[in-house]
Amino acid sequence: MGLMDSQVLVALALSLLGGFSTSIGALFVVLSETPNLKTLGLLQGFAAGLMLSISFLDLAHNAINSIGFLKGNLWFYAGVIFFAVIANFIPEPKLAPVPHQEKNKKNGDERNKDIMKKHRRQVLFSGIITAVGISLHNFPEGMAVFLGSMKGLRVGLNLALAISLHNIPEGVAVALPIYFATKSKWQAFKLATLSGFAEPLGVIVVAYLFPSSLNPEILEGLLASVGGVMAFLTLHEMLPLAIEYSGQKRAVKAVFVGMAFMSASLYFLELSLPSEVSL
């Protein structure tokens, strides 16, 4: 067993720690009582803030710093347009029109059920999107843990700890909408856990598959595109939901709290990184 292998194992173990903290976040959701809509809205707002902070202040920012303002922006908007086109083809859940012949109570109930159904689909979609966005974000974090632990165990450990702390709210952000939409604790837990597992996956990919010759410019560009995708998703899907459920004022506050939280946790990640490795 070479030195490389043992380091990869250490990095894997550390990133699993990060991955599992997403599950911890999911546990909070699953163990609490069924969430009410207001809380769901606030948490969606919070999650939207997390995502926006990741996309603008982390991914896009780094890309602009490393490949220049113009290129960074071009990649970012390429991601936005790419996803806008895809979102165009995803059918919005439509409500079945309610027949008018009977004006009794049953219709009102049915109608409410339909509305709930539409909401559920929308919420489910936003949960799945959050899961995808967070997986994409966890992937480079896994790489960072790997590079960090190459520098030494203390560094890797600090890093894994910082990442774990900031993955807990990510787990909540994924699990809550899924739990609300499917009413299944298991589904919520499963998806949140899967999005955490993108982290060790990042380690494995970097350690074994990534040619060191991959053009760093293209990598940065792709990350900026991921930022664009996340920003679009957030504004297109999550923010409207948050506003609908908890009202505009509250939702917007929740967004900024989420952004601040994410920026703070990115800052602490940055602090725990050795100077040679930057996220």
Side-chain angles (χ1 to χ4, degrees):
M1 192 158 155
L3 178 66
M4 175 76 177
D5 284 344
S6 59
Q7 277 176 321
V8 170
L9 281 180
V10 168
L12 259 182
L14 290 174
S15 62
L16 277 172
L17 182 70
F20 275 125
S21 50
T22 325
S23 311
I24 295 172
L27 273 181
F28 280 128
V29 172
V30 170
L31 298 178
S32 64
E33 289 308 299
T34 323
N36 65 354
L37 283 178
K38 272 229 168 71
T39 322
L40 180 74
L42 285 174
L43 273 161
Q44 282 283 298
F46 182 79
L50 295 182
M51 304 268 280
L52 286 177
S53 175
I54 291 171
S55 54
F56 290 120
L57 303 175
D58 186 29
L59 301 175
H61 165 82
N62 287 341
I64 283 171
N65 274 346
S66 61
I67 60 180
F69 188 78
L70 178 66
K71 276 188 185 159
N73 270 285
L74 287 176
W75 277 99
F76 181 84
Y77 288 108
V80 171
I81 291 163
F82 165 75
F83 207 85
V85 171
I86 288 181
N88 220 7
F89 292 112
I90 298 173
E92 282 287 310
K94 287 279 179 284
L95 285 181
V98 177
H100 279 304
Q101 68 263 26
E102 333 159 82
K103 282 270 182 274
N104 63 10
K105 184 171 172 295
K106 184 173 169 295
N107 262 346
D109 281 356
E110 288 295 302
R111 177 105 185 111
N112 282 345
K113 268 198 188 134
D114 277 347
I115 290 178
M116 276 313 285
K117 228 184 229 153
K118 172 174 181 186
H119 274 224
R120 284 225 176 110
R121 274 197 214 143
Q122 225 182 335
V123 172
L124 181 64
F125 188 54
S126 92
I128 290 171
I129 280 165
T130 315
V132 171
I134 282 171
S135 308
L136 289 172
H137 177 69
N138 278 353
F139 195 76
E141 272 175 19
M143 302 180 179
V145 169
F146 174 69
L147 295 169
S149 54
M150 287 303 217
K151 294 276 178 290
L153 188 60
R154 196 181 56 82
V155 171
L157 207 60
N158 271 343
L159 199 57
L161 200 65
I163 287 181
S164 300
L165 283 176
H166 101 165
N167 278 5
I168 291 176
E170 290 184 354
V172 173
V174 175
L176 189 78
I178 306 249
Y179 178 39
F180 176 81
T182 59
K183 289 278 180 273
S184 151
K185 297 186 169 186
W186 173 236
Q187 284 293 6
F189 186 71
K190 198 169 65 179
L191 264 163
T193 304
L194 282 175
S195 63
F197 273 105
E199 204 132 316
L201 199 67
V203 171
I204 295 169
V205 167
V206 175
Y208 289 108
L209 310 176
F210 246 61
S212 42
S213 60
L214 183 87
N215 188 339
E217 203 169 281
I218 289 179
L219 187 63
E220 283 295 343
L222 285 172
L223 286 175
S225 292
V226 169
V229 168
M230 284 169 71
F232 182 84
L233 285 177
T234 305
L235 298 173
H236 190 257
E237 295 295 325
M238 294 167 76
L239 199 57
L241 274 180
I243 289 174
E244 202 173 330
Y245 289 149
S246 58
Q248 194 174 351
K249 287 202 170 87
R250 277 205 175 115
V252 170
K253 281 179 195 142
V255 168
F256 281 107
V257 170
M259 285 186 81
F261 187 90
M262 186 45 105
S263 294
S265 73
L266 286 169
Y267 174 70
F268 287 119
L269 270 184
E270 199 65 38
L271 285 187
S272 53
L273 276 171
S275 49
E276 308 89 88
V277 181
S278 62
L279 256 178

